[in-house]
Amino acid sequence: MKKAVISVGHSILKNGMCTSASGTVNEYQYNKKLAPVLKECLEKNGWQADVIVCPEKKFAAKTEEKSYKLPLINKGGYDLAVELHLNASDGAGHGAEVYYKTETGKAYAQRVQKKLATVFRDRGAKKDDHLYFLNGTKPAAILVESFFCDNKSDCECGKDIKKVAKLIADGIAGK
């Protein structure tokens, strides 16, 4: 049985500030709801899955998020690490994109992107060598930007969290 870890991007700092993008929806709050639904969808596809959410109001700076997440991911024996994000661009951008670094990550990213592109504009699966999540994980990793949280039409399409979770899970599982 394959094993995945789902990480919610960003956190709420000690001072109460959220490190994520916000628009029509808040990136962190949305993905905090999406993660357990994605876990359930992956398990229906025969995967074992865990969710990691940074503890709220623990960190003084967003740079501390990685020192919490990466050790948990790297000692977990996972086949795949997935981090959930939403994009933002002053309301002008729209669509989904999935980032990867390795060839194994690319295969997952392309499948997830293909599924998300059935609902959101296809911005493509993209290789990236600069994201700490992709650089710091032992298992293959993808970073999913499901849609733009400051684009009203994207947010309308993303309202159905179960549908978004199923698209991502089916892409991961190759369904």
Side-chain angles (χ1 to χ4, degrees):
M1 178 183 292
K2 291 218 177 198
K3 188 175 173 186
V5 60
I6 302 156
S7 171
V8 174
H10 302 291
S11 68
I12 295 177
L13 301 178
K14 281 181 183 177
N15 64 9
M17 287 187 58
C18 187
T19 65
S20 70
S22 198
T24 304
V25 299
N26 176 277
E27 175 184 20
Y28 172 73
Q29 296 300 336
Y30 180 90
N31 287 319
K32 196 172 153 188
K33 291 177 191 163
L34 176 63
V37 181
L38 176 55
K39 171 184 164 62
E40 187 179 299
C41 290
L42 276 173
E43 289 171 347
K44 285 180 182 172
N45 278 324
W47 282 64
Q48 183 181 340
D50 295 322
V51 173
I52 294 175
V53 181
C54 285
E56 294 182 5
K57 298 188 177 185
K58 178 179 178 173
F59 307 128
K62 69 179 181 178
T63 53
E64 295 175 46
E65 295 169 0
K66 66 181 170 186
S67 59
Y68 175 80
K69 288 181 206 181
L70 294 179
L72 293 172
I73 292 167
N74 290 334
K75 69 180 182 186
Y78 298 105
D79 297 291
L80 179 67
V82 179
E83 185 152 273
L84 301 175
H85 286 268
L86 297 179
N87 246 327
S89 68
D90 298 325
H94 59 101
E97 56 196 8
V98 182
Y99 291 93
Y100 65 90
K101 181 177 179 181
T102 66
E103 284 303 307
T104 304
K106 180 180 181 179
Y108 286 109
Q110 288 175 329
R111 292 196 312 254
V112 170
Q113 181 62 35
K114 186 176 180 182
K115 291 291 184 178
L116 288 170
T118 64
V119 174
F120 302 100
R121 179 176 163 243
D122 187 355
R123 296 176 60 89
K126 300 175 179 178
K127 184 170 182 157
D128 194 297
D129 295 326
H130 301 96
L131 299 170
Y132 85 78
F133 187 81
L134 301 178
N135 287 330
T137 54
K138 285 182 185 172
I142 59 173
L143 188 144
V144 180
E145 299 273 9
S146 299
F147 59 89
F148 280 75
C149 68
D150 59 354
N151 180 292
K152 285 183 171 57
S153 66
D154 268 18
C155 291
E156 191 60 37
C157 292
K159 267 187 180 176
D160 187 346
I161 285 182
K162 287 183 181 177
K163 183 175 185 176
V164 174
K166 185 174 180 348
L167 291 169
I168 296 168
D170 287 354
I172 289 168
K175 299 272 177 167

